[in-house]
Amino acid sequence: MQTHLTRRGLLLGIPFALSASALSAGLFSQTIPDDLDLALRRSTDASLYTVEIAPVDPSVRLGKMHAWTLGLTDKRGRPVESARIAISGGMPQHGHGLPTAPAVTQTLGEGRFLIEGMKFNMRGWWEIDLTIDGPSGTDAITFNFIL
Ligand SMILES: [Cu+2]
């Protein structure tokens, strides 16, 4: 009898547990994952390149148009002088993209590029998605940034 009741209690609990975890993992979750990688220097998904990004002015302000620099090296750590770099992104918790269309506007030499037109119009967790089309092939990376 005791076992039967316990099992029934467990079964009843399952739908609740499932919906609770579905909500916490959902699109509109307000919780930023604890293990979110905030490093701004990382290997691309297929390890073809290492990318380092940084805002030109470290104090990024809400709603203000600003620029970033991007450093690009190949697998052997050699600077990549020429690449097509596509930039997109958005807020994964809100389901929207970037409010602007940032682009590489200058090659700065030694594998460095200038990205202009960045703007974050909300506080929270932003993803910056880059697709790099360079001499080693095409690869992608997503950086996380919390404003
Ligand atoms: Cu948002």
Side-chain angles (χ1 to χ4, degrees):
M1 193 60 172
Q2 187 62 44
T3 312
H4 177 74
L5 280 175
T6 306
R7 196 171 288 161
R8 187 160 173 264
L10 278 173
L11 286 173
L12 285 172
I14 286 170
F16 178 76
L18 278 178
S19 60
S21 69
L23 274 176
S24 69
L27 191 60
F28 300 103
S29 165
Q30 294 304 304
T31 314
I32 295 169
D34 290 336
D35 58 350
L36 194 66
D37 190 346
L38 296 173
L40 294 181
R41 182 180 193 276
R42 296 217 323 269
S43 277
T44 48
D45 294 346
S47 304
L48 294 182
Y49 306 101
T50 296
V51 183
E52 178 167 17
I53 59 170
V56 172
D57 178 351
S59 57
V60 173
R61 281 190 284 159
L62 182 70
K64 182 127 165 104
M65 197 78 91
H66 64 285
W68 288 60
T69 54
L70 182 154
L72 184 62
T73 52
D74 68 11
K75 254 182 193 171
R76 293 173 164 183
R78 295 175 302 198
V80 174
E81 300 295 346
S82 175
R84 265 190 300 184
I85 300 166
I87 302 142
S88 64
M91 298 186 85
Q93 294 173 304
H94 300 172
H96 64 75
L98 296 175
T100 56
V104 170
T105 54
Q106 278 182 59
T107 303
L108 303 171
E110 294 174 1
R112 294 175 70 247
F113 302 83
L114 184 69
I115 298 169
E116 289 187 285
M118 288 288 283
K119 189 166 96 171
F120 302 114
N121 59 339
M122 294 175 77
R123 291 209 175 274
W125 169 25
W126 289 88
E127 285 183 339
I128 301 169
D129 301 313
L130 304 174
T131 304
I132 317 280
D133 182 6
S136 305
T138 302
D139 205 351
I141 184 167
T142 297
F143 288 104
N144 299 294
F145 185 74
I146 293 174
L147 185 70

